Amino acid sequence: MTAASTVRSSAVLLTGGVLATAALAGCSADKDGTPYPVETAATAASQSAKAAQLPQRPADLPLQGVDLCDLFPQVQLDAMKISSTPRQADSADGPVCVLDADREEPFHGYQVGAVTADLDEWITGARRKNSMTTEPKAIDGYPALTSYRAAADPADCTTLVGVAKGRTLTIRTFPITRGKLTQPQLCDMSAHAADLALQTLKARN
């Protein structure tokens, strides 16, 4: 057996061992190879328990006709260190507003969206992903979720708020300067921005 074939055989054995370990641990892997738990009866029960922890919505806050880029007054944009005019962009769920904070390090951004779906879609419904960590919480009394993919170098964190029946406000915070913001920091920034947006919606209703 040549040295090259020995290396290939070792690589196959190592890969197989990793996959076997993941399988024994009840894990699968996403497209970049990161393992995540597979669906089990216990997992499904845990997700249902999360849904039960969400508070009742105090009142509907309509998003119909709302300009997402108009949810943050200038004083709030300044406090969030937004350095340019909020801009519209497209996403799979429709128009979003992007806010850039690139005046000083660490550079980061926000993406604000409005999704036609109830919040429980991310817990037990079609939008739930095993690769994502979801945590129930309340934002100014409204049912909300924190959603992120656990990783050594966090890519983003999204706060989802159930503002009305069948309508969810989403605030995604993402780093532009990588390696400078931790997952808790990104999630805190996302939740804070969601709270500010809720204040604007409540003032208009």
Side-chain angles (χ1 to χ4, degrees), residues 25-46:
C27 292
S28 185
D30 59 18
K31 62 183 179 182
D32 63 2
T34 302
Y36 59 84
V38 297
E39 177 73 26
T40 64
T43 303
S46 173

Side-chain angles (χ1 to χ4, degrees), residues 146-164:
T146 297
S147 177
Y148 60 89
R149 187 190 304 274
D153 182 16
D156 59 14
C157 184
T158 301
T159 299
L160 306 107
V161 186
V163 294

Side-chain angles (χ1 to χ4, degrees), residues 171-195:
I171 309 281
R172 172 176 170 258
T173 304
F174 56 92
I176 297 174
T177 303
R178 300 304 292 266
K180 298 294 185 181
L181 292 168
T182 65
Q183 191 70 70
Q185 286 176 318
L186 288 169
C187 291
D188 285 347
M189 293 160 68
S190 174
H192 178 62
D195 182 70

Side-chain angles (χ1 to χ4, degrees), residues 2-184:
T2 66
S5 62
T6 300
V7 170
R8 285 195 296 271
S9 298
S10 299
V12 170
L13 289 173
L14 177 59
T15 302
V18 171
L19 291 176
T21 301
L24 288 173
C27 292
S28 185
D30 59 18
K31 62 183 179 182
D32 63 2
T34 302
Y36 59 84
V38 297
E39 177 73 26
T40 64
T43 303
S46 173
Q47 295 301 314
S48 296
K50 287 181 182 180
Q53 294 177 44
L54 294 172
Q56 292 295 314
R57 185 168 44 249
D60 281 0
L61 296 175
L63 290 175
Q64 187 70 29
V66 171
D67 183 347
L68 297 174
C69 286
D70 196 33
L71 285 178
F72 302 93
Q74 188 59 49
V75 64
Q76 293 180 353
L77 294 175
D78 291 342
M80 294 165 65
K81 304 184 188 307
I82 303 304
S83 50
S84 57
T85 303
R87 53 190 172 84
Q88 290 190 343
D90 293 323
S91 77
D93 287 305
V96 295
C97 181
V98 179
L99 313 176
D100 300 310
D102 53 9
R103 182 177 298 158
E104 58 185 63
E105 294 275 8
F107 299 152
H108 57 280
Y110 300 86
Q111 180 177 293
V112 185
V115 182
T116 304
D118 283 314
L119 198 60
D120 60 6
E121 285 294 306
W122 284 268
I123 305 177
T124 57
R127 292 177 179 269
R128 178 175 174 266
K129 296 180 180 179
N130 288 345
S131 58
M132 303 297 289
T133 297
T134 56
E135 300 168 352
K137 64 188 308 175
I139 300 290
D140 197 25
Y142 279 77
L145 292 173
T146 297
S147 177
Y148 60 89
R149 187 190 304 274
D153 182 16
D156 59 14
C157 184
T158 301
T159 299
L160 306 107
V161 186
V163 294
K165 182 174 177 57
R167 297 292 279 172
T168 297
L169 176 71
T170 67
I171 309 281
R172 172 176 170 258
T173 304
F174 56 92
I176 297 174
T177 303
R178 300 304 292 266
K180 298 294 185 181
L181 292 168
T182 65
Q183 191 70 70

